[in-house]
């Protein structure tokens, strides 16, 4: 089925979108359901994450964004299609199948009428919103993150490269998608208005003993603190998915995942989650990496979404293996890893709120 989710007229010229850095200004066959009500975010959030939805311009033509609308709804339901981009593909089909399984629908992977009705409900939310960027969100610091891990260790944090990248992760997408959704001459900076996937605000969670600002990280990724609790998780190498189940073995969430490589294959077997490290330091030991340079040295890299393990490390009983985030969300399911299970930062953050020490982790072919 053809994708009508994005505004094709912007595709060729979107690369002209301008980023105003905080330091400068502060820098098909798819079922089609059009929203009937004004776009509204979730409960009020604390600055700097309170994005205000701006009314659509009067007389503006309605956008047909069926696939992107479905992706946003799947993300909201816990059946992640990965990067929200309005495109059909393997991740979208897998997310539909997971949602269909959880709702007792035929697992076709097709966005048919019955699936759309179950997914969107009687009052479907829009695919995108126009939002005003809070001044606090637009503040840096931003970093030129080098590829070399020893060079990364010299940085005080492994934060976002620029505001556009930070904005994309907040709304579970990529900078290129934001470029496509907006005018070629659009500017991104404090107080500017941009079109984004309709991922609602989340307040900064208050968490006892939170010394690494995890509550703020959740808000910065649009992830709610409260999540359904998983009894066990299953990682399937064959379909590149991580599934979470409750104590009654009901599927409650699903995320696309990168699961090892030829050099570092997924460790098939039954393991256990030993602990979680939120906004972790990364202890780089080149002896554990087959592709490390002979000149690399052991180093400690500071936390940040652009670190090697993203925003969270979920430790496993298999030594040196874990489930974690990634600085490059578009690579999930499309590139290899060093044996660990990689998710987008927003999916990894959500999973971290669903599991705890002692949860069983089954890895299967």
């Amino acid at each position: 089925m053809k994708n009508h989710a994005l505004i094709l007229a912007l595709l060729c010229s979107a690369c002209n979108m301008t980023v105003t850095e905080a330091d400068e200004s502060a820098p098909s066959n798819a079922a089609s359901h059009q929203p009937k009500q004004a776009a509204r975010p979730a409960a009020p959030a604390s600055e700097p994450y309170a994005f205000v939805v701006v009314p659509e311009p009067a007389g503006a033509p309605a956008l047909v964004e069926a696939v992107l609308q479905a992706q946003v709804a799947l993300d909201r339901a816990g059946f992640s299609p990965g990067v929200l981009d309005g495109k059909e593909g393997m991740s979208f089909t897998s997310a539909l199948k997971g949602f269909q399984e959880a709702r007792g629908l035929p697992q076709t992977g097709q966005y048919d009428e019955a699936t759309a009705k179950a997914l969107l409900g009687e009052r479907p939310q829009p695919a995108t919103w126009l939002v005003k960027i809070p001044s606090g969100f637009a503040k840096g610091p931003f970093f030129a993150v080098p590829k070399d891990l020893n060079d990364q260790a010299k940085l005080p944090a492994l934060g976002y490269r620029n505001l556009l990248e930070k904005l994309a992760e907040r709304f579970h997408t990529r900078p290129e998608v934001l470029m496509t959704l907006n005018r070629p001459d659009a500017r991104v900076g404090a107080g500017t208005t941009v079109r984004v996937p309709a991922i609602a605000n989340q307040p900064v969670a208050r968490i006892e003993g939170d010394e690494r600002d995890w509550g703020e990280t959740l808000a910065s990724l649009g992830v709610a603190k409260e999540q359904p609790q998983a009894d066990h998780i299953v990682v399937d190498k064959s379909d590149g998915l991580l599934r979470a189940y409750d104590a009654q073995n009901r599927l409650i969430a699903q995320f696309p995942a990168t699961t090892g490589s030829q050099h570092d294959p997924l460790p098939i077997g039954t393991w256990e989650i030993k602990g979680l490290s939120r906004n972790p330091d990364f202890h780089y030991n080149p002896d554990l990496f087959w592709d490390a340079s002979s000149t690399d040295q052991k180093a400690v890299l500071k936390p940040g979404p652009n670190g090697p393990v993203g925003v969270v490390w979920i430790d496993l009983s298999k030594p040196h293996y874990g489930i974690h985030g990634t600085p490059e969300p578009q690579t999930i399911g499309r590139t290899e890893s060093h044996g660990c299970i990689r998710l987008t930062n927003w999916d990894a953050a959500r999973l971290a709120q669903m599991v705890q020490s002692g949860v069983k982790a089954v890895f299967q072919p």
Side-chain angles (χ1 to χ4, degrees):
M1 99 184 131
K2 294 183 178 180
N3 172 26
H4 301 289
L6 301 179
I7 309 171
L8 298 180
L10 298 180
L11 283 174
C12 296
S13 54
C15 59
N16 293 324
M17 190 175 186
T18 303
V19 178
T20 301
E21 298 293 353
D23 290 342
E24 297 176 0
S25 70
S28 83
N29 290 325
S32 179
H33 294 259
Q34 296 302 317
K36 303 299 183 183
Q37 76 288 348
R40 290 179 295 177
S46 302
E47 278 283 3
Y49 307 108
F51 285 82
V52 176
V53 175
V54 176
E56 296 286 343
L63 302 178
V64 179
E65 301 176 321
V67 174
L68 184 56
Q69 183 185 40
Q71 288 181 330
V72 170
L74 286 164
D75 182 290
R76 186 183 302 120
F79 293 86
S80 173
V83 171
L84 304 181
D85 57 7
K87 297 179 180 179
E88 301 170 60
M90 180 176 62
S91 295
F92 180 56
T93 298
S94 295
L96 285 172
K97 286 183 178 180
F99 178 81
Q100 289 165 340
E101 177 183 344
R103 298 301 187 271
L105 298 170
Q107 297 172 45
T108 63
Q110 297 296 313
Y111 189 37
D112 52 35
E113 185 175 354
T115 302
K117 183 176 181 180
L119 182 61
L120 302 178
E122 298 300 324
R123 301 184 63 191
Q125 292 289 311
T128 63
W129 287 328
L130 288 172
V131 298
K132 183 175 291 186
I133 300 176
S135 58
F137 186 89
K139 290 181 179 178
F142 299 112
F143 300 89
V145 181
K147 291 184 178 181
D148 183 82
L149 295 185
N150 282 140
D151 288 338
Q152 289 182 14
K154 300 173 185 177
L155 296 177
L158 290 169
Y160 293 110
R161 297 176 180 90
N162 51 53
L163 177 55
L164 187 61
E165 183 184 52
K166 183 179 181 181
L167 188 69
E169 286 235 328
R170 163 60 184 83
F171 290 97
H172 303 183
T173 189
R174 299 176 59 198
E176 292 82 358
V177 176
L178 293 182
M179 293 178 189
T180 304
L181 288 174
N182 289 274
R183 302 186 315 274
D185 60 346
R187 296 180 66 82
V188 179
T192 61
T193 297
V194 293
R195 186 172 296 281
V196 296
I199 299 299
N201 290 330
Q202 296 296 335
V204 176
R206 295 183 178 181
I207 303 172
E208 184 178 356
D210 183 10
E211 298 178 351
R212 295 219 163 191
D213 298 323
W214 180 245
E216 189 166 337
T217 297
L218 292 174
S220 74
L221 292 169
V223 174
K225 173 189 174 185
E226 301 301 327
Q227 299 289 340
Q229 295 303 290
D231 174 78
H232 58 284
I233 62 175
V234 177
V235 176
D236 278 300
K237 180 180 178 181
S238 60
D239 55 14
L241 294 172
L242 185 152
R243 298 180 175 92
Y245 295 85
D246 65 13
Q248 287 71 47
N249 204 37
R250 294 176 299 202
L251 181 62
I252 58 174
Q254 178 180 288
F255 309 106
T258 295
T259 58
S261 66
Q262 181 179 357
H263 287 278
D264 298 290
L266 182 73
I268 304 301
T270 299
W271 312 99
E272 183 180 295
I273 291 175
K274 303 300 291 184
L276 291 87
S277 181
R278 298 171 171 90
N279 288 325
D281 293 332
F282 179 73
H283 293 260
Y284 176 50
N285 182 354
D287 293 340
L288 301 177
F289 292 81
W290 64 269
D291 54 349
S293 170
S294 60
T295 60
D296 281 0
Q297 302 292 320
K298 291 183 179 181
V300 177
L301 282 64
K302 298 300 183 183
N306 270 319
V309 297
V311 299
V312 67
W313 171 268
I314 302 174
D315 198 37
L316 297 170
S317 54
K318 173 73 172 176
H320 309 303
Y321 283 80
I323 303 167
H324 59 83
T326 179
E328 303 293 343
Q330 72 277 6
T331 65
I332 296 300
R334 293 171 173 80
T335 59
E336 298 181 332
S337 74
H338 286 92
C340 293
I341 297 86
R342 288 194 287 117
L343 311 175
T344 67
N345 276 332
W346 56 87
D347 287 342
R350 187 167 192 167
L351 179 65
Q353 295 304 107
M354 301 176 68
V355 299
Q356 56 186 333
S357 297
V359 167
K360 183 171 67 174
V362 180
F363 295 173
Q364 53 195 35

